Amino acid sequence: MSGRDLVDRVVPVRPPSRQRSASRPTTGGERPSLPVRLLAMIAVVVAAVYFLAPVYWLVVASTKSASSLFTTPGFSFAEPQLLDNLAELSGYDDGIFWRWVLNTVVYSVVGSVLTVLVCAACGYALAMYEFRGKRVVVGAILASLLVPGTVLAQPTYLLVVQLGLNNTYAGVLLPSLVYSFGVLLCMVFAQSSVPRELLEAARLDGAGELRIFVSIGLRLMSTGLVTVLLFAFLGSWNNYLLPLLVLTDQELVPLTVGLTGWSQSSITIPGLQVLVVTGSLVSVVPVVAVFLGLQRFWRSGLTAGGVRF
């Protein structure tokens, strides 16, 4: 036996491995190139500066006095006056600002909770039941999204006046219950999270439709309902046009209407300019707190809806 044959028996010759063709796409995550990452980083930084610069200016301006508000650079701090501004804000006009805060909390919290219940019931019914005219109803809801809210403000005001609800809490709360986008979101969440087999099993056990909706539907849709709750809360907190038309009593107006009135009066009363800025900063704090508190549910809720779409 030759030396060549001995080597072949001890170390078997392996067939040559196939070279990966250049045209075959590679699998696995590949990092983008350096220019793409730089462009993405620049875009993120620009967007962050664009959105955070007004907030930073608001924080800086809230710490200034009435004289330094216009005599110092807008993005640089002066002698801190935030506590004095808050004290003046609380005492101005017998503390009407905190009355506006209370009104805004009532409109936002009560209104958003009722809105979520209405949207959940409507979306659940559209997703789980088959009835004549269902496509027409869904089409009408989709079409309503194309109508701007400012177009509906005047007809809504006339309807509220005819019902005798002008200058009342109900005149602002009831129109906010109609939230077409929330109904569509709840319908999508119900379709993706509530199995029909579970509903059939509950019916076989003797549960009624209302009990099934409360015990099963609402619990399985809870993540999506938090998303709708956040959207409804932000919409109610920033609502301006409808309260401006419906309410005339300063004891009932929300922050948006009250601070706008102060801003218009600051032309003749210079001291109100600092109060408007400080009040705007205070009005932003609850929104940030609610958003951060519900962020985890909001992100997961959008993901559930996005998969269905």
Side-chain angles (χ1 to χ4, degrees), residues 1-10:
M1 180 181 297
S2 63
R4 177 77 178 182
D5 297 336
L6 182 60
V7 171
D8 291 340
R9 293 183 61 182
V10 175

Side-chain angles (χ1 to χ4, degrees), residues 67-89:
S67 58
S68 61
L69 183 61
F70 299 100
T71 58
T72 58
F75 290 96
S76 62
F77 287 93
E79 184 179 356
Q81 298 276 342
L82 181 59
L83 295 180
D84 296 336
N85 293 339
L86 290 174
E88 186 177 356
L89 179 68

Side-chain angles (χ1 to χ4, degrees), residues 279-302:
S280 300
L281 177 64
V282 174
S283 67
V284 171
V285 174
V287 177
V288 175
V290 171
F291 182 82
L292 294 178
L294 300 179
Q295 184 180 14
R296 176 169 60 93
F297 302 98
W298 172 66
R299 292 174 60 185
S300 58
L302 283 183

Side-chain angles (χ1 to χ4, degrees), residues 122-254:
C122 296
Y124 175 85
L126 292 174
M128 296 293 106
Y129 301 124
E130 296 295 334
F131 53 89
R132 182 177 301 178
K134 176 179 177 179
R135 293 182 178 272
V136 177
V137 174
V138 175
I141 296 174
L142 288 172
S144 65
L145 297 176
L146 304 177
V147 182
T150 54
V151 176
L152 301 176
Q154 189 66 25
T156 304
Y157 166 71
L158 295 177
L159 181 60
V160 169
V161 171
Q162 291 179 359
L163 294 175
L165 299 177
N166 56 310
N167 213 30
T168 61
Y169 282 105
V172 179
L173 288 174
L174 290 180
S176 64
L177 302 183
V178 182
Y179 188 31
S180 303
F181 184 65
V183 173
L184 291 178
L185 282 181
C186 289
M187 182 181 70
V188 173
F189 292 135
Q191 290 174 345
S192 60
S193 60
V194 181
R196 295 179 180 269
E197 295 80 6
L198 186 60
L199 303 184
E200 293 297 334
R203 294 188 182 102
L204 291 177
D205 290 338
E209 297 299 326
L210 180 60
R211 183 178 179 183
I212 293 174
F213 169 67
V214 175
S215 303
I216 298 177
L218 290 180
R219 292 188 179 183
L220 295 179
M221 296 167 57
S222 59
T223 303
L225 296 183
V226 173
T227 304
V228 179
L229 176 66
L230 179 60
F231 287 156
F233 179 84
L234 293 177
S236 298
W237 191 273
N238 298 321
N239 192 11
Y240 170 73
L241 186 57
L242 183 61
L244 179 65
L245 295 175
V246 174
L247 303 175
T248 57
D249 188 357
Q250 290 297 310
E251 296 289 333
L252 299 177
V253 300

